[in-house]
Amino acid sequence: MCEYCHQYPCHSRCPNAPEPQIRGYCEKCGEGLREDYEYYTDNDNNKFCSYDCAVDYQGIECKEWD
């Protein structure tokens, strides 16, 4: 049992908990996609760390009508 969180295995927020596994990397910025965070994907199965990276990668722009 852990001396800090009093659990076994350690709670994910405990300082003794192991680092979460990297499951992939963002196609836009290269940031590691950890298994304890959500990620975004497109129809080509590219994975992104954020909505903004996904939009930038696809070249999507917000436009106003003329």
Side-chain angles (χ1 to χ4, degrees), residues 25-45:
Y25 294 91
C26 178
E27 293 291 333
K28 174 71 176 159
C29 71
E31 183 175 331
L33 302 172
R34 296 171 21 161
E35 62 184 9
D36 61 335
Y37 288 104
E38 64 183 11
Y39 66 94
Y40 298 81
T41 187
D42 63 10
N43 290 338
D44 295 328
N45 208 25

Side-chain angles (χ1 to χ4, degrees), residues 10 12 14 20 24 27-28 31 54-55:
C10 287
S12 61
C14 177
E27 293 291 333
K28 174 71 176 159
E31 183 175 331
V55 168

